Amino acid sequence: MNETDRSMLGRVFRLLECFSVARVRMTQSELSRRTGLPLPTVHRLCTQLVTNGALERATDGRYQIGVRLWELGALAPRAHGLRQIAMPYLEDLYEATHENVQLIVRDGLEALYIERLSGRAAVTVVGRAGGRLPLHASSGGLVLLAHGGGELLDAVLEAGLERFTPNTITSEHRLRQVLDDIRRRGFVVCREHLNLGTLAVAAPVQRPSGEVVAAISVVIGADVDPAPLIPALRAAARGISRGLTTEESSTE
Amino acid sequence: MNETDRSMLGRVFRLLECFSVARVRMTQSELSRRTGLPLPTVHRLCTQLVTNGALERATDGRYQIGVRLWELGALAPRAHGLRQIAMPYLEDLYEATHENVQLIVRDGLEALYIERLSGRAAVTVVGRAGGRLPLHASSGGLVLLAHGGGELLDAVLEAGLERFTPNTITSEHRLRQVLDDIRRRGFVVCREHLNLGTLAVAAPVQRPSGEVVAAISVVIGADVDPAPLIPALRAAARGISRGLTTEESSTE
């Protein structure tokens, strides 16, 4: 593979990464504008990506991510693989609470939702499966941060603790206290850290080696007492952990 | 993009498509053997794909599909988008039945599972989310085939009606009868068409225009009476259909 090839793969991902929850369908002109690539290049890339099933054309002619890419993505052990193991427990937790139930892994300095069961009656939360949230400001992110090691914490502190609400953890001192607390107690309760009006509880999912590979969380209204939820949350996290072998959900 | 680029993108997808449910992690040697690409080429492609997050390295050094690809795939309107709309209804159906509940779309001549809620106590079924099944031998596939038009039916007949069990539909005459029946009644019951011991019921998910974009199915034991399930199945399918606008789940 020469330099042309390399930049070509870079261009392909630049194009694919234009798509987002807010922009699931785009014309070639929009893709050209967002990538900065010339229209003829975008045209040729789109044609090739359609041939390979990575993109599809919607009824209106715009491009969208294709089911083939979804199918490939579904093979990611840290996402879909983990999700398959977790689903029965997430469903039990959802049936028990009828609140928003989430499965979260870390990708770089962000928490990434792998699954979100969201009842129509449950409190409305920001994001969706595939959405990303900052580690320091989400309950699942804090759990992953608590078990991510010193280098990760340094990187998060370096990046800065952005404030989302008056309750967001923005001081290193308080963050270290909360992380110690998570490691000691095995769960975290975050009241309005990220959104006003919601409260989130989270617990770690661990491999037999003790390595924390994911977190699960439940989001409820900020006026609800979270105490009755904690045992069910922790039981679900332990159930998923038991389902993990050393193989599943392995990370880099 | 020149010929080199084009074949390069082809090689990338050839490599990515080596991964499957049965092979979620592979070494460079395995990838080289399966793609027929020289090891140095595989090495360079893997390195680039890791850089772009499409691949990750597992703890044992093998390659696996990365969460970034999962995240991109989650933007596919015909898969994850549809799934988001359908989930509350699938969950209701699951809670009502505690049996295997599936959401299915068509990709080419195959039925593709977008979602499968599978209770630990439910009957064991072949496949998983992301799995593919033949259109003529699965309940959801038959629903999609019934509404897929004459060209699709011709292509399916041309490909041949493979037999999986003594009950699989293998004659064009019987297939046409069943498809007529599905269009008339709005659902299908398949007893042991694909697997011995299981029975599946399916109903169509339609856009406001009437276009059928997906099917939902419930799989139960072959000795269970499906009749009490049908109203819940059809209600769930109608619920999802109501959630679709002309935008969602649009196809090429």
Side-chain angles (χ1 to χ4, degrees), chain B residues 123-168:
Chain B
V123 65
T124 303
V125 290
V126 173
R128 49 162 258 174
R132 285 163 180 267
L133 288 177
L135 292 175
H136 74 285
S138 57
S139 63
L142 284 168
V143 165
L144 296 171
L145 188 53
H147 297 278
E151 264 182 52
L152 175 65
L153 180 57
D154 289 345
V156 165
L157 290 169
E158 175 86 16
L161 306 175
E162 191 186 345
R163 178 180 294 286
F164 296 91
T165 73
N167 281 5
T168 307

Side-chain angles (χ1 to χ4, degrees), chain A residues 28-163:
Chain A
Q28 293 189 355
S29 317
E30 285 171 295
L31 287 166
S32 169
R33 204 174 59 242
R34 291 195 172 271
T35 55
L37 296 171
L39 198 53
T41 305
V42 167
H43 176 71
R44 285 189 298 262
L45 287 175
C46 284
T47 303
Q48 284 297 303
L49 287 165
V50 167
T51 301
N52 287 289
L55 292 181
E56 293 173 348
R57 300 196 72 172
T59 36
D60 63 5
R62 287 186 293 169
Y63 291 87
Q64 61 192 27
I65 299 287
V67 290
R68 187 75 195 102
L69 206 60
W70 172 82
E71 201 178 2
L72 278 174
L75 296 169
R78 288 212 299 137
H80 203 77
L82 173 63
R83 181 184 165 278
Q84 291 292 107
I85 296 165
M87 269 307 271
Y89 299 96
L90 299 178
E91 281 161 8
D92 286 351
L93 191 56
Y94 172 79
E95 285 192 34
T97 62
H98 281 268
E99 299 288 355
N100 295 286
V101 172
Q102 282 111 196
L103 175 67
I104 298 143
V105 300
R106 182 170 69 81
D107 193 41
L109 296 186
E110 294 174 304
L112 176 65
Y113 288 110
I114 296 303
E115 184 52 73
R116 162 168 292 167
L117 300 182
S118 177
R120 277 159 300 165
V123 64
T124 302
V125 290
V126 173
R128 50 162 256 176
R132 285 164 179 266
L133 288 177
L135 292 175
H136 74 285
S138 57
S139 63
L142 284 168
V143 165
L144 296 171
L145 188 54
H147 296 278
E151 264 182 51
L152 174 66
L153 180 55
D154 288 345
V156 164
L157 291 169
E158 175 86 15
L161 305 175
E162 192 187 343
R163 178 180 294 285

